[in-house]
């Protein structure tokens, strides 16, 4: 069954048709603000470094502080939405994120900026973790739900490329401070509309899930894990002693979390949620596809900058076709494709297009032409993302019980965030290693391009694995419908 309802949150009857869509736009605006922040900051890093005197190594903390808080808290934030009410968690996250953005813009020292970025990550996790659960609650009817999830998927996946353009414009036209200040009016308006348009939900109450030890274990595991990926693994290598020690700590915390959830009376993450093959497969696909896509946007930007000589604004404009194509498909056609073919076929087709695009990027040469070597790749990525990501978001929530909608929403976000961090670290490290190994035998630009080609090829393989998972684990819609009576009978028993 593709749709799910939530008696604990807003019911469709409580809101008129127009009000529900306005509520969706509000949720998407909150998500866009969070997604934009990541790439906007990346574009402004050189200006931040010059102004505040960061070294090359310390500059990474402007990004890492956010990623550690964001990735570490997503799962907990999703469950808090189920317990405390998703609108409460969403609006609280907006307030925290907006205040932290102002602090970032006002920062005059490295320490203040890094701390404010960490707080931004907390707000970002609270805001984004519950959005998907709120959407499936607002739109239980399959056709409307598919259209709404298409809009959400577009914002979540294509918003980053808009950030490249916005970051270039703001940084070059005004200053890097304004990439944070623009969040103030957006945050205030989004919070105001959220309070007015989204019905307040009660939540299950803390008594149904106050698993403090479980929360500490999983949050610690995710934070240490993300830190390991973005810091020692990326800088010292995957076999460095510090990397191995922190990886071991992560595994111990995860093992402790699983043991705790198996025995807790009110677990933070009920392990029964993973009995669904569809949910498990969707999360694996989310992690793998995010690994390939996020890494390629980052390394593709470096290819345009270091090899083709593009500036920040030109890079943003170069990626704009991806956003436009993905937006057109996600908003206008994804719902029709899902209703016509079911979510599984568009998922497989979209992921396959992404694989082709990434494989094609391995042929981009030194001195390449944008219209010949780059635009076709970005068009394929936009086509693939616009087709597959809405279907994937719908599948990730299709077998979820109402009381677990916030948890499932946070889980899919967590897998995407951890997958993106892991993919970026792996691909960037392999690219740099390849470049260093051929630097003596080839000119500098050829060595750089060789490194990028290797990463593009590995990214294609990673996404190809997600295609295999989609084929083998994600059941066709007719099989799910056929199984539904048996599942209901088991639940009744």
């Amino acid at each position: 069954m593709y749709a799910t309802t939530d008696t604990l949150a807003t019911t469709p009857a409580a809101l008129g048709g127009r009000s529900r869509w306005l509520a969706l736009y509000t949720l998407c605006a909150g998500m866009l603000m969070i997604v934009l922040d990541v790439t906007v900051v990346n574009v402004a890093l050189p200006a931040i470094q010059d102004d505040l005197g960061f070294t090359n190594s310390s500059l990474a903390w402007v990004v890492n502080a956010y990623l550690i808080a964001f990735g570490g808290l997503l799962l907990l934030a999703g469950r808090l939405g189920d317990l405390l009410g998703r609108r409460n968690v969403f609006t609280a996250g907006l307030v925290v994120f907006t205040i932290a953005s102002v602090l970032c813009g006002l920062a005059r020292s490295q320490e203040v900026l890094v701390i404010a970025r960490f707080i931004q990550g907390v707000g970002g996790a609270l805001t984004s973790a519950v959005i998907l659960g709120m959407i499936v609650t607002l739109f239980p009817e399959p056709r409307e739900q598919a259209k709404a999830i298409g809009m959400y998927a577009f914002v979540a996946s294509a918003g980053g490329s808009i950030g490249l353009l916005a970051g270039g414009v703001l940084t070059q036209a005004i200053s890097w401070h304004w990439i944070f200040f623009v969040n103030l009016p957006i945050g205030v308006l989004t919070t105001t509309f959220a309070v007015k348009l989204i019905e307040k939900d009660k939540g299950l109450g803390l008594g149904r899930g106050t698993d403090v030890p479980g929360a500490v274990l999983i949050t610690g595991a995710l934070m240490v894990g993300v830190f390991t990926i973005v810091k020692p693994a990326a800088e010292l290598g995957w076999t460095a002693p510090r990397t191995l020690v922190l990886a071991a700590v992560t595994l111990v915390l995860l093992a402790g979390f699983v043991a705790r959830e198996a025995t807790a009376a009110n677990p933070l993450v009920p392990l029964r949620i993973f009995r669904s093959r569809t949910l498990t497969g969707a999360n694996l696909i989310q992690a793998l596809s995010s690994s390939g896509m996020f890494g390629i946007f980052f390394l593709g930007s470096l290819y345009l900058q270091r090899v083709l000589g593009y500036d920040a604004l030109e890079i943003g404009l170069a990626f704009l076709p991806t956003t436009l194509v993905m937006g057109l498909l996600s908003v206008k056609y994804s719902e029709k494709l899902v209703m016509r073919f079911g979510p599984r076929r568009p998922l497989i087709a979209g992921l396959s297009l992404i694989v082709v695009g990434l494989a094609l990027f391995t042929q981009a040469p030194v001195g390449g032409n944008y219209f010949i070597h780059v635009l076709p790749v970005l068009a394929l990525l936009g086509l693939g993302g616009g087709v597959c990501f809405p279907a994937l978001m719908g599948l990730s929530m299709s077998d979820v019980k109402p009381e677990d909608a916030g948890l499932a929403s946070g889980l899919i976000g967590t897998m995407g965030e951890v997958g993106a961090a892991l993919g970026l670290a792996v691909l960037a490290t392999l690219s740099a290693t390849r470049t260093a190994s051929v630097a003596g035998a080839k000119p500098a630009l050829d060595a750089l391009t060789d490194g990028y080609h290797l990463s593009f090829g590995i990214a294609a393989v990673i996404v190809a694995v997600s295609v295999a998972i989609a084929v083998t684990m994600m059941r066709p819609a007719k099989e799910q419908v056929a199984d539904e009576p048996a599942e209901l009978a088991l639940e009744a028993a």
Side-chain angles (χ1 to χ4, degrees):
M1 47 188 175
Y2 186 64
T4 182
T5 59
D6 188 350
T7 58
L8 299 171
T10 309
T11 59
L15 292 172
R18 184 170 178 269
S19 296
R20 286 189 295 130
W21 289 102
L22 290 175
L24 173 66
Y25 302 150
T26 301
L27 294 173
C28 286
M31 189 65 191
L32 182 62
M33 185 171 67
I34 305 302
V35 173
L36 285 178
D37 188 75
V38 177
T39 47
V40 164
V41 172
N42 282 339
V43 172
L45 285 177
I48 293 173
Q49 182 177 24
D50 292 340
D51 191 21
L52 299 184
F54 280 98
T55 63
N56 288 333
S57 59
S58 64
L59 182 65
W61 280 106
V62 177
V63 175
N64 292 346
Y66 181 89
L67 287 177
I68 290 169
F70 187 79
L73 291 170
L74 269 173
L75 193 56
L76 175 59
R79 192 53 176 168
L80 287 176
D82 292 331
L83 301 176
L84 302 177
R86 291 172 203 139
R87 195 193 76 169
N88 292 335
V89 172
F90 177 75
T91 53
L94 286 174
V95 171
V96 172
F97 187 89
T98 303
I99 293 173
S101 296
V102 174
L103 293 177
C104 288
L106 294 173
R108 293 295 183 269
S109 70
Q110 299 177 19
E111 295 78 12
V112 171
L113 181 59
V114 170
I115 292 172
R117 286 286 288 162
F118 185 89
I119 299 172
Q120 256 195 324
V122 174
L126 291 171
T127 299
S128 60
V130 296
I131 291 177
L132 192 55
M134 296 170 77
I135 289 175
V136 298
T137 294
L138 284 168
F139 299 94
E141 193 276 321
R143 182 175 295 276
E144 287 190 337
Q145 186 180 111
K147 185 176 181 179
I149 289 177
M151 295 183 65
Y152 164 80
F154 162 64
V155 171
S157 56
S161 55
I162 300 174
L164 292 172
L165 179 60
V169 171
L170 290 171
T171 301
Q172 292 184 195
I174 311 177
S175 75
W176 66 264
H177 299 278
W178 282 91
I179 66 172
F180 298 111
F181 286 145
V182 294
N183 289 331
L184 178 59
I186 298 173
V188 170
L189 287 174
T190 304
T191 304
T192 302
F193 283 119
V195 172
K196 291 183 176 181
L197 295 173
I198 302 174
E199 193 77 12
K200 186 175 181 180
D201 52 312
K202 292 172 56 178
L204 297 168
L206 287 176
R208 290 287 302 275
T210 49
D211 180 17
V212 176
V216 171
L217 286 167
I218 189 59
T219 303
L222 290 171
M223 284 191 171
V224 174
V226 174
F227 172 79
T228 304
I229 292 167
V230 300
K231 192 65 177 174
E235 295 180 0
L236 304 176
W238 291 92
T239 58
R242 188 180 180 191
T243 304
L244 295 176
V245 169
L246 289 174
V249 171
T250 302
L251 292 176
V252 169
L253 290 171
L254 283 174
F257 171 72
V258 173
R260 168 66 187 178
E261 299 311 280
T263 58
N266 294 313
L268 178 70
V269 181
L271 297 183
R272 59 177 164 71
I273 198 171
F274 296 106
R275 294 173 186 168
S276 167
R277 187 171 67 171
T278 300
L279 175 69
T280 303
N283 278 277
L284 289 174
I285 293 169
Q286 171 78 336
L288 291 169
S289 59
S290 297
S291 296
M293 287 286 283
F294 189 81
I296 288 312
F297 276 117
F298 179 79
L299 293 169
S301 298
L302 291 180
Y303 168 77
L304 294 176
Q305 179 186 34
R306 296 180 179 177
V307 178
L308 300 188
Y310 285 28
D311 61 27
L313 181 58
E314 288 171 332
I315 291 172
L317 291 171
F319 278 96
L320 194 58
T322 301
T323 304
L324 295 177
V325 172
M326 194 178 294
L328 179 64
L329 284 171
S330 298
V331 176
K332 192 172 179 62
Y333 296 107
S334 64
E335 166 257 334
K336 296 178 181 178
L337 290 171
V338 168
M339 297 308 300
R340 173 71 183 275
F341 301 105
R344 181 174 179 265
R345 291 180 182 177
L347 173 63
I348 295 171
L351 290 172
S352 299
L353 287 172
I354 293 173
V355 173
V356 174
L358 294 175
L360 190 61
F361 215 178
T362 64
Q363 305 304 308
V366 175
N369 181 280
Y370 173 77
F371 293 99
I372 296 174
H373 302 107
V374 180
L375 182 59
V377 172
L378 299 181
L380 284 170
L381 295 182
L383 282 169
V387 170
C388 77
F389 287 131
L392 179 61
M393 293 300 103
L395 280 167
S396 71
M397 302 296 292
S398 61
D399 285 344
V400 177
K401 293 183 177 181
E403 64 268 22
D404 294 329
L407 171 62
S409 177
L411 182 61
I412 195 75
T414 300
M415 295 302 289
E417 187 67 21
V418 174
L422 179 61
L424 177 58
V426 170
L427 295 177
T429 300
L430 292 174
S431 177
T433 302
R434 174 65 175 175
T435 296
S437 68
V438 300
K442 293 186 176 183
L445 290 182
D446 290 279
L448 274 174
T449 305
D450 267 14
Y452 297 142
H453 284 175
L454 176 64
S455 292
F456 298 156
I458 292 173
V461 173
I462 292 172
V463 181
V465 173
S466 73
V467 175
I469 293 174
V471 171
T472 57
M473 292 188 67
M474 313 303 281
R475 295 177 301 168
K478 62 181 181 180
E479 294 181 12
Q480 295 183 29
V481 173
D483 290 346
E484 192 170 316
E487 292 174 359
L488 292 175
L490 286 174
E491 289 180 9

